[in-house]
Amino acid sequence: MSVTSPGEMPDVDAAPDGRATRWADHRAARRDELVRAARRAVHHRGPDLSMDDIATEIGTSKSILYRYFADKTGLQVAVGQAVLGRMRDALEEAAAQAGGPRERISAMVGVYLEMVDASPHVYAFVTRPEATAGEVRGFVAEVADLVTEAVLPALRGDGPHGGTEVEESTLVAARLWAAGVVGLVRGAVDLWLGNRLAQTDAPDVGRVPRQALAMHLSDWLWDGAVGVLRRARQSRGG
């Protein structure tokens, strides 16, 4: 039992009410459960489900969903945070396990496409501009940082005897390039996925195999990276 001296305010943060803590934990767990259930529903039924559809699919009521999410956009944001978080972790792991810069870029492109291909409906659901614009922008910025990190060893000339510091102008160019190529990958993937989901016949973008798309994107990204690396070496007089 906490004892408070006369005239001293009790420290409410030091001993939180046990019931309140348990309720907050229960609410957080229930919210996570609803996010996972909504993700499964979208995965199986498609990205255009209404709140009524989602509630029916996961076996609850719409009023329960609104108790945890202000509206459909709130639910999309919550699902998006979970999906993008998993994708971010997978990209970081792929970058860490790959060898040189080109292998890192190829590995990240492969992981990105694999996760999109595994659940195209969920990807479409969480990347709609009206739903998760802020989350997607933050995610894209983080991925751009990962891509920059992937080419930094080559920019430094890392090798058995170490490397050199990267000039600020080169680092700026690398960051601009990384942001641009992340946009290129996302734009190409969105077109590829949109054609697949719509099953359009012309052009046949949606019929390109995932592995072929990954190879094209990796080659395009590396071709751009080579230019950044070449100019970095020229600026060092190499």
Side-chain angles (χ1 to χ4, degrees):
M1 180 176 177
S2 176
V3 179
T4 304
S5 302
E8 181 182 349
M9 294 294 292
D11 186 356
V12 294
D13 293 328
D17 184 272
R19 289 171 298 180
T21 301
R22 286 193 297 273
W23 170 246
D25 291 343
H26 168 77
R27 182 175 176 82
R30 177 58 173 154
R31 187 178 188 274
D32 290 343
E33 180 184 336
L34 291 172
V35 168
R36 289 192 295 270
R39 184 192 180 282
R40 288 193 298 269
V42 171
H43 174 80
H44 292 294
R45 295 280 307 279
D48 297 320
L49 292 181
S50 67
M51 289 291 268
D52 281 320
D53 295 331
I54 293 173
T56 300
E57 186 72 14
I58 68 179
T60 189
S61 65
K62 189 167 67 171
S63 62
I64 292 294
L65 289 180
Y66 282 125
R67 187 179 301 172
Y68 290 87
F69 311 98
D71 49 24
K72 183 179 178 180
T73 296
L75 177 59
Q76 286 175 285
V77 169
V79 174
Q81 289 171 336
V83 170
L84 296 178
R86 288 177 56 196
M87 190 175 285
R88 181 188 305 114
D89 292 343
L91 289 169
E92 290 177 349
E93 183 178 354
Q97 292 181 353
R102 181 164 192 162
E103 289 75 19
R104 292 180 189 177
I105 290 173
S106 296
M108 287 190 288
V109 170
V111 164
Y112 186 82
L113 283 173
E114 182 179 358
M115 297 191 73
V116 169
D117 196 31
S119 192
H121 288 152
V122 173
Y123 178 81
F125 182 75
V126 303
T127 56
R128 290 180 171 176
E130 71 278 6
T132 55
E135 285 298 316
V136 170
R137 278 197 298 271
F139 172 71
V140 168
E142 291 186 35
V143 174
D145 287 341
L146 281 175
V147 174
T148 303
E149 289 295 325
V151 299
L152 277 181
L155 289 173
R156 287 194 299 261
D158 287 1
H161 304 294
T164 60
E165 290 295 322
V166 181
E167 294 182 2
E168 181 65 23
S169 60
T170 301
L171 186 57
V172 168
R175 286 174 174 163
L176 287 171
W177 168 80
V181 299
V182 170
L184 182 151
V185 170
R186 189 173 169 221
V189 169
D190 286 353
L191 178 62
W192 175 70
L193 185 61
N195 274 256
R196 287 184 61 202
L197 294 178
Q199 297 182 337
T200 57
D201 292 327
D204 293 336
V205 175
R207 298 185 182 182
V208 175
R210 188 186 79 208
Q211 292 79 4
L213 178 61
M215 182 181 67
H216 286 316
L217 290 172
S218 297
D219 287 345
W220 296 337
L221 266 57
W222 183 246
D223 287 344
V226 167
V228 175
L229 299 176
R230 183 184 299 116
R231 282 187 286 275
R233 293 191 186 101
Q234 289 173 347
S235 69
R236 294 198 298 264

